[in-house]
Amino acid sequence: MAGRREKYGQSIRGSRIAGAIAMGIFLGCVFAFLYPNGFFFPDPRPQTRPLSKSNLQVDSSNCESTEKVNMMKSKNRKLSEKNAELQKQVRELNQKLQVAEQGNGRAQEQQLVVSSQPQKAGPFGTVKSLRTNPPVLPDESVNPRLAKLLSEIAVNKEVIVALANSNVKSMLEVWFNSIKKVGIPNYLVVALDDAIVDLCKENGVPVYKRDPDENVDFIGKSGGNHAVSGLKFRILREFLQLGYGVLLSDVDIVYLQNPFDHLYRDSDVESMSDGHNNMTAYGYNDVFDEPSMGWARYAHTMRIWVYNSGFFYIRPTIPSIELLDRVADRLTKQPNSWDQAVFNEELAFPSHPGYIGLYASRRTMDIYQFMNSKVLFKTVRKDANLKKLKPVIVHVNYHPDKFPRMKAVVEYYVNGKQDALDAFPDGSV
């Protein structure tokens, strides 16, 4: 009996287990049919059921998320614009600081303006110092009329400028005709009297006459070459403030090529030299002999002949404007001074006790491209090889008979008359 009951109980348990397995298989088939992608994963098929409240909440959450992303993007864009504006203000403040520091000569503060961050020195032979000062921010409010005129005639923010009154009318005509012959478009005559205004208009020459200024007008209308030459330092200031590079030119110059094609533009001032050879133009070691000193009788000195203040290129930088201010101020206080001497002293004299030197970079132009009349008449015309060179300009600065020599230069270099220069002596008579 006991064996049968035991066997019967086992069969019941076996049938229950079989039933449970069958039920499990059945439910698995049902779930597999209803949830082919699994019970815990959403159905990727498009929803065809009406949106429930929970669906709306999910979609609303997605919309809010998109709006937040867009808001973050907008905020980031505004911050970027603000950052750019702040960087611009920092640059402007640095330049204003540079202006404020020009007068006190404190080397440490000057260094902070020039270099905002210290730099490591590179390997031997690779280190190069800063040579080119940054340009000023243009300020058209200084002279809106001049700003408008320059915007029409300047090329790459550069222009040739000459001052002239009726005393130099004949030379001025040779001057602007040579410029026209070369095809230089960006030049301007600053007329110091009405007769020059009329002459320029009759010949289609760009001309500018300043607003009335009692002191300037008196010198401009009646002054000689040196007096008029001194005016240019005051007048040029406005050109630089407007952001233009100026090639200042006297009118006793003949143009044979476009000078803008031969500039380096790596210095505040780039000037032609009064030197007549490589030594005098570019510098040399001159030995001073004082026998009474015995063993130390020989003293070495560095010399260079002066820059010509009648032809130089000046960039619109703070040191350049300070140079103009210094020269103009000294010429006002020292009316008997020669503008060229003052110009060179301010460029060359170093800082020393009681004096703060000008921190302006400078370059000497090639003496055979930007040729003075001493080089031409004393050397070039007598040398078969040098005679073949065609200079950029010839400046008749060493000779008082300027007009006939200017015409001879045109005859020789433009019209090909080989003996046009022969009749003139090396110097003046």
Side-chain angles (χ1 to χ4, degrees):
M1 280 295 285
R4 284 198 298 270
R5 283 198 299 271
E6 210 173 282
K7 191 172 183 179
Y8 178 74
Q10 290 175 352
S11 65
I12 291 175
R13 284 195 298 271
S15 62
R16 286 177 179 173
I17 292 170
I21 293 172
M23 180 60 72
I25 294 172
F26 173 77
L27 291 173
C29 291
V30 170
F31 280 113
F33 178 79
L34 294 176
Y35 301 98
N37 295 298
F39 182 75
F40 295 101
F41 298 93
D43 188 351
R45 292 176 298 179
Q47 296 287 339
T48 58
R49 299 186 303 276
L51 293 173
S52 64
K53 185 175 181 180
S54 62
N55 296 136
L56 289 172
Q57 288 175 345
V58 171
D59 291 344
S60 175
S61 176
N62 289 336
C63 290
E64 289 178 3
S65 177
T66 303
E67 288 177 1
K68 286 181 180 179
V69 170
N70 290 336
M71 286 176 62
M72 292 293 290
K73 288 182 178 179
S74 176
K75 190 174 182 180
N76 184 56
R77 186 167 55 252
K78 290 179 180 178
L79 287 173
S80 297
E81 292 173 355
K82 184 66 175 177
N83 184 52
E85 179 63 26
L86 288 173
Q87 289 179 342
K88 180 181 177 182
Q89 290 178 12
V90 168
R91 289 194 300 270
E92 292 175 354
L93 287 172
N94 277 335
Q95 290 178 337
K96 289 180 180 179
L97 179 62
Q98 186 177 11
V99 174
E101 294 297 339
Q102 287 299 313
N104 60 28
R106 287 175 287 182
Q108 184 177 0
E109 294 179 2
Q110 289 282 356
Q111 178 63 25
L112 289 174
V113 174
V114 173
S115 178
S116 58
Q117 293 184 355
Q119 299 180 14
K120 288 185 178 180
F124 179 82
T126 66
V127 178
K128 301 294 181 184
S129 62
L130 182 67
R131 288 171 172 80
T132 308
N133 285 300
V136 298
L137 290 173
D139 183 5
E140 293 191 0
S141 66
V142 169
N143 191 331
R145 184 165 66 90
L146 179 59
K148 183 177 184 299
L149 176 60
L150 291 175
S151 69
E152 295 169 354
I153 65 172
V155 176
N156 297 325
K157 300 284 284 187
E158 294 177 325
V159 63
I160 299 172
V161 175
L163 278 66
N165 62 15
S166 297
N167 294 335
V168 296
K169 181 178 177 180
S170 57
M171 288 189 292
L172 178 64
E173 290 184 271
V174 178
W175 181 86
F176 64 63
N177 283 328
S178 71
I179 287 178
K180 289 182 178 182
K181 183 74 174 179
V182 174
I184 303 169
N186 48 328
Y187 68 102
L188 178 69
V189 173
V190 176
L192 300 175
D193 57 41
D194 292 334
I196 295 299
V197 173
D198 295 338
L199 174 68
C200 290
K201 289 182 177 179
E202 290 169 2
N203 289 274
V205 172
V207 63
Y208 166 72
K209 193 169 187 295
R210 300 176 74 255
D211 294 333
D213 184 315
E214 183 177 344
N215 294 327
V216 172
D217 292 344
F218 175 77
I219 298 173
K221 291 177 180 178
S222 58
N225 286 345
H226 282 187
V228 170
S229 186
L231 284 178
K232 62 195 172 195
F233 298 99
R234 188 179 298 276
I235 293 173
L236 282 183
R237 193 185 206 279
E238 291 183 348
F239 288 79
L240 301 194
Q241 284 182 279
L242 294 172
Y244 288 85
V246 176
L247 187 57
L248 189 280
S249 173
D250 281 353
V251 296
D252 55 346
I253 292 175
V254 176
Y255 287 77
L256 302 167
Q257 298 184 60
N258 191 330
F260 292 111
D261 296 336
H262 301 272
L263 297 177
Y264 285 80
R265 301 175 178 84
D266 63 349
S267 305
D268 296 304
V269 177
E270 195 168 340
S271 179
M272 73 172 297
S273 172
D274 271 3
H276 60 93
N277 54 28
N278 287 349
M279 265 184 32
T280 56
Y282 309 136
Y284 62 103
N285 181 7
D286 186 38
V287 180
F288 176 77
D289 183 10
E290 191 175 7
S292 64
M293 288 297 295
W295 176 81
R297 65 182 292 180
Y298 299 111
H300 290 259
T301 67
M302 304 309 299
R303 297 189 64 187
I304 183 173
W305 285 30
V306 296
Y307 288 150
N308 190 287
S309 63
F311 189 87
F312 60 87
Y313 177 75
I314 186 166
R315 294 180 60 248
T317 66
I318 292 298
S320 296
I321 294 175
E322 185 182 2
L323 170 65
L324 299 180
D325 289 351
R326 286 184 176 214
V327 176
D329 182 62
R330 280 188 57 186
L331 292 175
T332 299
K333 295 176 180 178
Q334 305 165 10
N336 294 324
S337 298
W338 181 27
D339 69 284
Q340 181 160 290
V342 174
F343 175 71
N344 278 272
E345 288 169 1
E346 293 299 334
L347 272 175
F349 285 172
S351 296
H352 54 264
Y355 177 79
I356 302 300
L358 178 70
Y359 294 91
S361 56
R362 58 195 188 274
R363 168 182 281 273
T364 306
M365 291 176 170
D366 187 316
I367 62 171
Y368 295 110
Q369 288 186 330
F370 299 90
M371 193 182 297
N372 63 55
S373 56
K374 181 174 183 177
V375 172
L376 174 61
F377 286 98
K378 187 176 180 180
T379 304
V380 170
R381 67 170 176 169
K382 301 174 183 178
D383 187 296
N385 290 322
L386 292 177
K387 285 177 70 174
K388 298 175 184 177
L389 299 176
K390 186 176 184 180
V392 178
I393 60 109
V394 173
H395 188 179
V396 186
N397 60 314
Y398 267 100
H399 300 89
D401 50 340
K402 297 179 181 295
F403 184 56
R405 289 190 189 242
M406 288 178 71
K407 291 194 295 182
V409 169
V410 173
E411 287 295 322
Y412 181 78
Y413 284 109
V414 179
N415 300 327
K417 188 177 179 182
Q418 295 301 304
D419 62 349
L421 305 175
D422 295 349
F424 297 94
D426 288 355
S428 59
V429 293

